[in-house]
Amino acid sequence: MSTLAGPDQLGKVWQEASILPGSYFVFSRANMDKLTDVENSDREEEILSGKGAAIPPKQREAFVKLLANFIRQRDTDKKHAEDLLFDMFKNEETGLLNIGKFLAALRTIGIRRNDPRIGEMMDNLKKVHKLNNYDGGSPLSQNLNAETFKAVIAPNIVLIARAFRHQFVIPDFQGFTKDIEEVYWKCKSNTDGKVASYIPQLARVNPDYWGVSVCTIDGQRFSIGDSNVPFTLQSCSKPLTYAIALEKLGPKLVHQYVGQEPSGRNFNELVLDHTKKPHNPMINAGSILTCSLLKTLVHPEMTLAEKFDYTQNWFSRMAGNEPLGFNNAVFLSEREAADRNYALGFYMREHKCYPEKANLRECMDFYFQCCSMEATCETLAIMASTLANGGICPLTEEKVLQSENVRDVLSLMHSCGMYDFSGEFAFKVGLPAKSGVCGGVMLVIPNVMGIFMWSPPLDPLGNSCRGVQFCEELVNIFNFHLYDNLKHGSNKKDPRRHRYETKGLSVVNLLFSAASGDVTALRRHKLSGMDITLSDYDGRTALHLACSEGHLECVKFLLEHCGVPHDAKDRWGNRPIDEAETFGHVEVVDFLKEWNDKVELAKKLGNETGYNSDQDSVKSGSSGGIFTPKTLKSTHSSVY
């Protein structure tokens, strides 16, 4: 697939169009996004009218042509992506694509069918299923022809194309999840720790529960184990209530009441800092005070029930509108066994820590309610990814929190989030995290992903034994520690880099696919944006190898879809047709001769070409139509 012109390519064309250097400002990196969406932007008139710079009419006309070509090429690339996706997954015998197989491939990349970003595609599948009057079966078991498939995926083609081009933050998501699975099973054998017993209802939880969920900033999701079993948030709610307080009240006001220092003491110890404030929002005293700020200063007219719904809605927005529950049994149990928390509350009231008009008992109830909200590993992993993504939920793309507030939350999670183990955790793991006595650990890898682990047995400091081990194992394998050297730390994996990132490996992989006749692999390389014309040291291209091995389908794909030169020469002067003749592949020779005749005919007729490739120079003389697979092969498909 032709890659979209970048700023440097556009600048080159701009200069070739005899545009003065003074007008090149339009192609600065800051303006590229506006240029890409110029047909839907108010910026269009400003650019075309030349406001801010004197652009002569001829230069303006040249720019309009250039812009039109850029937009046309972008739209063509989208169409090519749809064709390649269909060819990649279609059944060669029936010529139809099984949508279940397609969705399964999307899932391996991390995109699930309940992802709201592909909601239009899923709705289209249901409509097609209904229009075809299917009595039984599922919309997910349909077989679609090319035109129907393109219509179904059209609303979400940009996201889907990015997925199959491996343009997400974790390109090789399937390989990454294999490593996650290995760490999961390694930690499952850890039988250390005991379930929290100071809250009677929590003591009844099955200690064998162990679940892990991952959600990247691009919405790639993976779960293993007991990831759909609901449990109460407990202290994992503390960074979330703190984030809401920052968002609604601002950091200056919040930190008039709550400090920012690690306490160095137990999470529920009866102690304040030297200014008679709770040390930080990640311990019980600080979280109780944060909840009092939300209860008293944010929409003070709300009742306690309304404030609970308000806070729960905030949590849900962070989780991509996933629903959260409430465990009333745990709430009542926690309130009945809350002597230490009430002692903290009254101690802070003695030192006048609360805002004016704060009702201590209502504030305590609100704190217990936030701790008793119920969610799963999967839901909380999305919340963690929202924090990793600077406050923007990856699934809904809603900006739930300001990035500055997220930075403050992550800073305190890093220094105070793991109770009295925070310093050692920061040293070993080096990532923001928050644990809770429910057995949960929320881990945030900034600008990459969020991970949530849940296993009820706790160590003496109140952290999940399996959760802490998982985090340590994770940074031993991947360079996720904040102070890992990304350039020279070769002993660790970097999942943010593609397996075939280097040019040498790309060439080897491409040529091997051609030599083995793997058309599907070639389609994947094409879809990923790889340069299909790459050659080895001897100048041998993928077409050379496909011809020498007699793989006619590969030859057709390389010429018809990739537009590779049909007469490229290697270091010995051999062309692909020479390779086919040498090894006696008659069908390949005949096809190459036919292709060469069409190229020569197109050159004689002097037709204009949109790209410098065989694909677009091969045109018919009378109609000017491009020789595409539709004209070179007679195809028939039944429309559902």
Side-chain angles (χ1 to χ4, degrees):
M1 181 181 299
S2 303
T3 54
L4 292 180
D8 296 335
Q9 294 169 297
L10 288 171
K12 183 178 179 181
V13 178
W14 181 267
Q15 291 171 341
E16 289 176 352
S18 301
I19 303 301
L20 294 175
S23 301
Y24 183 73
F25 77 98
V26 175
F27 293 101
S28 67
R29 191 170 296 277
N31 286 332
M32 280 307 298
D33 289 338
K34 297 175 182 177
L35 177 63
T36 303
D37 296 322
V38 72
E39 69 268 43
N40 297 320
S41 172
D42 294 336
R43 177 67 173 153
E44 180 179 11
E45 293 183 7
E46 184 178 343
I47 294 176
L48 299 183
S49 62
K51 290 181 181 179
I55 304 178
K58 289 186 178 180
Q59 296 178 2
R60 193 179 308 157
E61 182 182 354
F63 170 69
V64 171
K65 290 181 179 179
L66 176 63
L67 184 59
N69 287 335
F70 177 79
I71 294 171
R72 184 168 58 250
Q73 183 177 347
R74 183 194 63 187
D75 292 340
T76 301
D77 275 3
K78 289 182 180 178
K79 294 177 182 177
H80 286 177
E82 294 167 350
D83 290 329
L84 284 169
L85 285 170
F86 183 81
D87 290 340
M88 187 186 300
F89 294 103
K90 73 177 180 182
N91 185 304
E92 295 295 337
E93 296 180 358
T94 63
L96 301 177
L97 179 145
N98 182 273
I99 203 67
K101 180 181 178 182
F102 175 74
L103 292 174
L106 262 183
R107 188 179 178 89
T108 63
I109 302 170
I111 304 300
R112 299 183 179 181
R113 61 173 182 256
N114 62 350
D115 192 316
R117 296 172 299 170
I118 59 169
E120 295 93 339
M121 181 185 79
M122 300 307 296
D123 289 341
N124 287 342
L125 283 174
K126 293 176 184 176
K127 291 175 184 177
V128 172
H129 188 260
K130 187 176 181 180
L131 287 171
N132 291 322
N133 297 317
Y134 282 117
D135 295 329
S138 164
L140 308 182
S141 62
Q142 298 178 90
N143 293 307
L144 307 180
N145 66 4
E147 297 305 319
T148 307
F149 173 74
K150 292 177 188 177
V152 165
I153 69 170
N156 308 121
I157 183 60
V158 174
L159 175 73
I160 294 170
R162 280 188 64 210
F164 285 105
R165 286 171 177 161
H166 305 293
Q167 292 176 345
F168 287 156
V169 66
I170 306 295
D172 182 21
F173 192 69
Q174 194 170 7
F176 173 74
T177 56
K178 287 181 180 178
D179 289 323
I180 294 293
E181 284 186 35
E182 290 180 9
V183 176
Y184 170 87
W185 290 111
K186 185 175 182 179
C187 296
K188 188 173 177 63
S189 61
N190 185 343
T191 57
D192 296 340
K194 296 181 180 179
V195 177
S197 58
Y198 74 95
I199 300 175
Q201 202 68 20
L202 291 182
R204 302 176 184 176
V205 178
N206 184 349
D208 295 328
Y209 280 140
W210 172 223
V212 175
S213 286
V214 175
C215 182
T216 73
I217 60 171
D218 285 320
Q220 297 165 278
R221 298 173 67 189
F222 172 77
S223 296
I224 185 171
D226 302 306
S227 58
N228 283 310
V229 178
F231 53 89
T232 53
L233 303 186
Q234 297 303 322
S235 291
C236 294
S237 66
K238 291 173 180 174
L240 307 178
T241 52
Y242 173 56
I244 299 172
L246 290 177
E247 196 74 14
K248 302 303 294 183
L249 302 173
K252 186 175 181 181
L253 177 58
V254 171
H255 288 291
Q256 287 178 6
Y257 295 90
V258 187
Q260 299 150 311
E261 292 291 334
S263 68
R265 313 287 280 271
N266 280 341
F267 66 93
N268 60 356
E269 193 156 337
L270 206 66
V271 62
L272 300 175
D273 66 12
H274 67 284
T275 63
K276 298 303 176 184
K277 296 190 298 188
H279 285 82
N280 61 75
M282 302 298 156
I283 57 175
N284 285 20
S287 186
I288 290 171
L289 197 45
T290 301
C291 287
S292 76
L293 295 177
L294 288 177
K295 174 69 183 69
T296 309
L297 301 182
V298 179
H299 298 295
E301 75 282 358
M302 287 184 176
T303 64
L304 186 59
E306 290 171 335
K307 187 57 62 72
F308 172 79
D309 285 341
Y310 175 80
T311 306
Q312 192 178 46
N313 181 59
W314 267 93
F315 285 13
S316 180
R317 288 169 59 202
M318 294 183 208
N321 296 324
E322 290 282 320
L324 279 85
F326 177 73
N327 193 318
N328 192 53
V330 171
F331 166 70
L332 295 174
S333 178
E334 190 164 351
R335 188 169 62 174
E336 289 171 2
D339 293 343
R340 175 55 66 98
N341 283 327
Y342 276 116
L344 283 170
F346 285 114
Y347 183 59
M348 288 190 290
R349 188 168 74 174
E350 177 190 0
H351 290 281
K352 297 180 172 54
C353 294
Y354 296 104
E356 291 184 13
K357 299 181 180 179
N359 184 312
L360 177 58
R361 294 198 177 275
E362 285 190 357
C363 292
M364 294 299 294
D365 276 355
F366 181 54
Y367 168 72
F368 297 141
Q369 286 173 348
C370 291
C371 292
S372 301
M373 287 193 202
E374 209 168 46
T376 64
C377 282
E378 295 205 345
T379 300
L380 287 159
I382 302 171
M383 291 185 185
S385 68
T386 298
L387 296 177
N389 200 30
I392 300 174
C393 178
L395 300 186
T396 61
E397 299 177 340
E398 177 192 0
K399 188 170 186 177
V400 185
L401 303 167
Q402 297 295 320
S403 59
E404 297 83 3
N405 295 331
V406 173
R407 179 198 61 199
D408 293 347
V409 173
L410 295 182
S411 296
L412 289 182
M413 287 175 67
H414 183 64
S415 61
C416 317
M418 299 294 288
Y419 301 132
D420 203 25
F421 185 67
S422 297
E424 188 173 345
F425 188 86
F427 180 81
K428 291 183 176 180
V429 179
L431 291 170
K434 184 68 190 85
S435 63
V437 294
C438 60
V441 178
M442 177 185 288
L443 184 71
V444 178
I445 305 171
N447 305 305
V448 182
M449 69 180 69
I451 304 177
F452 198 91
M453 299 134 275
W454 177 56
S455 175
L458 309 177
D459 63 21
L461 295 174
N463 299 307
S464 170
C465 294
R466 288 174 180 149
V468 171
Q469 182 188 358
F470 184 94
C471 295
E472 292 177 354
E473 296 286 348
L474 189 75
V475 295
N476 286 337
I477 298 173
F478 302 108
N479 56 357
F480 284 153
H481 193 294
L482 287 179
Y483 302 111
D484 274 334
N485 189 296
L486 299 181
K487 186 175 182 181
H488 302 295
S490 57
N491 60 322
K492 291 185 180 181
K493 297 179 181 179
D494 187 353
R496 289 158 286 200
R497 300 178 65 184
H498 199 281
R499 285 182 303 173
Y500 307 116
E501 191 168 311
T502 64
K503 183 177 178 180
L505 284 175
S506 296
V507 174
V508 170
N509 202 43
L510 172 66
L511 298 186
F512 180 81
S513 299
S516 59
D518 193 345
V519 181
T520 302
L522 289 176
R523 290 193 182 107
R524 290 197 181 97
H525 297 321
K526 170 71 173 169
L527 187 63
S528 68
M530 183 186 294
D531 183 3
I532 308 299
T533 64
L534 289 173
S535 62
D536 62 11
Y537 177 79
D538 294 322
R540 289 168 64 79
T541 65
L543 187 59
H544 278 90
L545 292 177
C547 290
S548 66
E549 298 295 333
H551 299 307
L552 181 60
E553 291 302 317
C554 288
V555 173
K556 289 181 179 180
F557 176 78
L558 291 168
L559 291 173
E560 295 170 357
H561 294 274
C562 303
V564 300
H566 72 289
D567 55 355
K569 295 181 179 180
D570 60 19
R571 64 185 297 188
W572 299 284
N574 293 328
R575 299 170 301 164
I577 194 171
D578 299 328
E579 297 286 340
E581 289 175 343
T582 300
F583 293 98
H585 302 302
V586 179
E587 290 184 349
V588 175
V589 172
D590 292 342
F591 181 82
L592 288 172
K593 287 180 178 179
E594 180 185 353
W595 188 269
N596 181 70
D597 293 341
K598 291 170 183 174
V599 171
E600 294 300 324
L601 176 62
K603 289 179 180 178
K604 290 178 182 179
L605 293 174
N607 286 341
E608 295 181 358
T609 60
Y611 305 92
N612 185 22
S613 71
D614 283 354
Q615 178 187 3
D616 296 294
S617 62
V618 181
K619 299 184 178 182
S620 65
S622 57
S623 61
I626 299 176
F627 280 98
T628 66
K630 289 185 179 180
T631 56
L632 287 174
K633 297 186 294 183
S634 60
T635 59
H636 174 73
S637 59
S638 56
V639 180
Y640 284 125

